[in-house]
């Protein structure tokens, strides 16, 4: 296969993509496949000789689509969305064509500079203060790891990187029990240790209690530990918990601690001023993560981390061996170019800013706001319908567009209902554990879903209850 073939097959792929998308509503959202079914259809070894594209593509069509969960299905209400707006898919095709590796300014000048500007566009669109700068990562997990590594280095005056942690007092990081598992992963990877992630008590609304945070920090100081930082959440993954950002940051800052706010899902909703009270006070954070690859419509992967001051993170993560130096342009001081690999874990980086640029322009902030407002309104309407079903009850009310419900007859019945719903395939929902009960999560946020798609969830539940 050469680039002439690529041109022809790209056109066929575009036609296939169009038909695939047009036919999504006819497919079950989650495939009816057993583990091992796909692997069993693949030969055990790679071919020694080239195979014709016709055969490869025919096999793709025969094997893959029916064994995929369709994340772009308009009746996908599971997890959180991983939306891919058509404009962002198109941008990925252009990025794909150039296939550049954007580790340094000089390896992709346009990619580096567009990343700077797109972070600013998004910052302003979300109503964040103008002092924030930032970078684009693959995932929120990486952004949170970067923030926790930075906390560690700030707390150890950058000795952790040099000497390891053995000579340091035990570092403690604070988060609520509603924090995403990526926070647990980050403290593990950062060498801080799971046991030193303090899960602070929450209130009746599942929000971190700032008084309990203060007490935990004071107790740790008295015990000779070294508090390193706080991770707060706006829109927790389980039930959408929102910590009191302003009050918690006030406590953290009184102790001189670094603060990272995880708004991976809910951050996109901050395009709409009426939702910004959910993270009121966020401008005092050191680091904020938002996933445009969830609700906003920018194809996975695209995570934006905003930084009040990038210097501690770059000092934590940046290395500049001779072979990575940019010779022609200053890399420090006025007029310096930005080498974004120094802001993150991997050296190699994709050109992710392009799809943010295409998406923000093709729909406009107003178009994106309208979608989010519709999703929130429909989610409330659906929650009302489900709450009215005899035998069902809402467990948590909608936070933005996420709510949970359960059957009054208990966990086993709720779980059995969820299995029936997902085997049926018309809609896709997932579960969480909340206050030690099995509950079904519903989030509305798929880029192309209609009010009718959303209301069909109530219909499916009614039929299968
Ligand atoms: C989705 C999510 C994450 C993890 O996101 P990835 O980008 O998949 O790593 C972290 N925190 C919250 C609140 C999330 O919703």
């Amino acid at each position: 296969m050469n680039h002439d073939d690529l041109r022809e097959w790209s056109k066929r792929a575009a036609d296939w993509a169009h038909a695939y998308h047009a036919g999504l509503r006819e497919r079950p959202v989650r495939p009816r496949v057993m583990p091992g079914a796909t692997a069993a259809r693949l030969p055990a070894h790679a071919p020694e000789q080239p195979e014709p594209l016709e055969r490869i593509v025919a096999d793709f069509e025969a094997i893959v689509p029916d064994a995929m969960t369709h994340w772009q299905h308009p009746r996908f209400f599971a997890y959180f969305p991983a939306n891919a707006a058509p404009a962002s898919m198109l941008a990925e095709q252009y990025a794909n064509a150039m296939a550049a590796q954007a580790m340094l300014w000089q390896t992709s000048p346009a990619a580096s500079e567009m990343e700077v500007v797109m972070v600013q566009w998004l910052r302003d669109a979300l109503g964040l203060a103008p002092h924030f700068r930032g970078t684009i990562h693959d995932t929120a997990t990486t952004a949170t790891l970067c923030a926790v590594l930075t906390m560690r280095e700030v707390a150890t005056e950058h000795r952790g990187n040099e000497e390891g942690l053995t000579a340091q007092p035990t570092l403690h990081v604070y988060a609520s029990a509603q924090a995403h598992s990526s926070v647990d992963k980050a403290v593990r990877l950062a060498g801080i240790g799971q046991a030193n992630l303090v899960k602070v008590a929450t209130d009746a609304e599942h929000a971190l209690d700032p008084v309990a945070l203060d007490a935990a920090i004071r107790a740790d100081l008295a015990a000779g530990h070294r508090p390193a930082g706080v991770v707060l959440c706006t829109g927790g993954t389980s039930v959408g918990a929102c910590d009191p950002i302003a009050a918690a940051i006030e406590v953290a800052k009184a102790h001189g601690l670094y603060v990272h706010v995880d708004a991976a899902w809910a951050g996109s909703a901050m395009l709409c001023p009426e939702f910004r009270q959910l993270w009121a006070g966020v401008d005092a954070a050191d680091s904020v993560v938002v996933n445009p690859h969830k609700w906003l419509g920018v194809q996975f992967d695209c995570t934006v981390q905003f930084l009040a001051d990038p210097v501690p993170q770059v000092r934590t993560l940046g290395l500049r061996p001779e072979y990575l130096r940019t010779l022609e342009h200053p890399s420090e001081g006025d007029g310096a170019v930005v080498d974004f690999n120094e802001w993150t874990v991997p050296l190699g980086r994709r050109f992710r800013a392009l799809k943010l640029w295409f998406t923000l322009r093709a729909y406009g902030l107003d178009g994106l706001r309208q979608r989010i407002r519709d999703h929130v309104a429909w989610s409330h309407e659906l929650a009302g319908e489900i709450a009215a079903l005899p035998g069902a009850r809402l467990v948590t009310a909608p936070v933005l567009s996420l709510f949970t419900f359960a059957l009054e007859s208990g966990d086993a019945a709720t779980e059995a209902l969820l299995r029936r719903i997902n085997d049926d395939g018309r809609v896709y929902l997932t579960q969480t554990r909340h206050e030690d009960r099995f509950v079904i999560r519903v989030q509305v946020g798929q880029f192309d879903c209609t009010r009718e798609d959303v209301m069909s969830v109530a219909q499916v539940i009614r039929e299968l209850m």
Side-chain angles (χ1 to χ4, degrees):
M1 182 181 181
N2 59 30
H3 280 275
D4 293 331
D5 299 325
L6 177 60
R7 180 165 72 172
E8 291 316 309
W9 283 95
S10 294
K11 289 176 188 159
R12 290 173 65 164
D15 287 340
W16 183 88
H18 186 265
Y20 166 77
H21 201 269
L24 275 176
R25 277 196 182 80
E26 276 74 63
R27 290 176 179 271
V29 190
R30 205 186 62 171
R32 299 186 184 99
V33 285
M34 295 303 287
T38 303
R41 300 186 67 183
L42 302 175
H45 301 286
E48 295 291 340
Q49 300 303 320
E51 293 190 59
L53 258 299
E54 279 80 5
R55 204 150 79 212
I56 301 172
V57 170
D59 284 347
F60 161 75
E61 291 187 12
I63 295 172
V64 177
D66 288 343
M68 290 295 284
T69 296
H70 303 291
W71 282 74
Q72 307 313 317
H73 197 301
R75 293 195 301 267
F76 182 101
F77 304 105
Y79 307 101
F80 281 134
N83 285 332
S88 77
M89 293 177 137
L90 181 63
E92 284 286 63
Q93 290 185 22
Y94 287 111
N96 191 26
M98 293 179 287
Q101 211 273 49
M103 60 185 182
L104 304 171
W105 178 87
Q106 67 180 347
T107 68
S108 288
S112 300
E113 293 185 16
M114 188 175 285
E115 184 160 336
V116 172
V117 177
M118 285 309 104
V119 168
Q120 290 169 1
W121 279 21
L122 192 64
R123 170 197 71 198
D124 297 346
L126 301 180
L128 289 169
H131 67 270
F132 282 106
R133 298 170 66 192
T135 189
I136 305 181
H137 299 278
D138 52 358
T139 61
T141 301
T142 301
T144 295
L145 173 60
C146 291
V148 169
L149 290 167
T150 302
M151 285 174 190
R152 183 192 77 188
E153 289 309 292
V154 170
T156 62
E157 289 160 336
H158 293 272
R159 294 219 190 86
N161 272 349
E162 289 301 321
E163 302 167 7
L165 298 178
T166 42
Q168 299 295 328
T170 305
L171 300 178
H172 277 190
V173 170
Y174 306 83
S176 92
Q178 294 289 325
H180 188 265
S181 61
S182 55
V183 182
D184 301 72
K185 187 179 270 190
V187 296
R188 291 171 179 222
L189 295 178
I192 292 169
Q194 181 77 60
N196 300 315
L197 173 61
V198 181
K199 298 277 173 88
V200 179
T202 50
D203 64 17
E205 301 297 310
H206 321 293
L208 176 140
D209 174 359
V211 175
L213 173 64
D214 189 53
I217 294 170
R218 284 174 195 281
D220 286 342
L221 285 168
H225 303 316
R226 183 173 297 168
V230 181
V231 181
L232 301 172
C233 72
T234 298
T237 309
S238 185
V239 297
C242 291
D243 292 334
I245 301 294
I249 293 183
E250 202 180 312
V251 169
K253 289 300 161 192
H255 294 284
L257 302 188
Y258 198 89
V259 177
H260 173 64
V261 175
D262 179 1
W265 161 66
S268 295
M270 305 310 170
L271 278 187
C272 309
E274 68 269 29
F275 300 132
R276 290 181 191 158
Q277 86 278 358
L278 290 178
W279 72 0
V282 71
D283 286 340
D286 295 293
S287 167
V288 181
V289 63
V290 174
N291 274 355
H293 72 223
K294 282 183 173 161
W295 208 348
L296 205 63
V298 182
Q299 177 163 359
F300 186 87
D301 49 359
C302 184
T303 287
V304 176
Q305 183 191 17
F306 298 99
L307 291 164
D309 176 10
V311 170
Q313 184 158 316
V314 173
R315 205 172 151 200
T316 299
L317 302 170
L319 284 177
R320 201 175 288 162
E322 179 58 31
Y323 49 79
L324 293 179
R325 264 182 59 216
T326 296
L327 297 182
E328 297 83 358
H329 301 283
S331 45
E332 269 157 25
D334 287 344
V337 298
V338 180
D339 291 333
F340 273 118
N341 79 82
E342 298 179 353
W343 299 47
T344 185
V345 175
L347 173 61
R349 341 182 53 243
R350 305 179 59 234
F351 184 177
R352 299 192 183 89
L354 194 67
K355 54 192 169 182
L356 198 46
W357 194 47
F358 272 50
T359 305
L360 294 176
R361 295 181 65 188
Y363 306 97
L365 297 177
D366 239 11
L368 295 166
R369 276 186 206 109
Q370 191 53 52
R371 277 188 168 75
I372 285 168
R373 287 180 175 136
D374 283 345
H375 295 161
V376 172
W378 297 337
S379 169
H380 280 74
E381 193 180 345
L382 175 63
E385 288 223 358
I386 293 175
L389 293 175
R393 65 176 191 93
L394 279 198
V395 178
T396 57
V399 174
L400 298 169
S401 64
L402 169 69
F403 65 89
T404 62
F405 74 96
L407 295 183
E408 276 159 2
S409 41
D411 281 6
T414 305
E415 185 171 342
L417 171 65
L418 181 63
R419 285 179 197 280
R420 286 198 297 280
I421 291 169
N422 291 334
D423 288 343
D424 173 86
R426 279 174 288 172
V427 304
Y428 184 25
L429 308 177
T430 47
Q431 77 286 346
T432 188
R433 268 206 100 70
H434 184 70
E435 293 175 345
D436 218 26
R437 291 199 50 190
F438 183 100
V439 300
I440 301 178
R441 286 172 84 258
V442 183
Q443 70 74 27
V444 176
Q446 214 288 324
F447 206 72
D448 292 324
C449 74
T450 62
R451 182 181 165 278
E452 201 182 358
D453 288 318
V454 175
M455 294 310 141
S456 76
V457 175
Q459 181 56 32
V460 169
I461 295 170
R462 206 175 287 121
E463 285 174 29
L464 299 176
M465 247 171 89

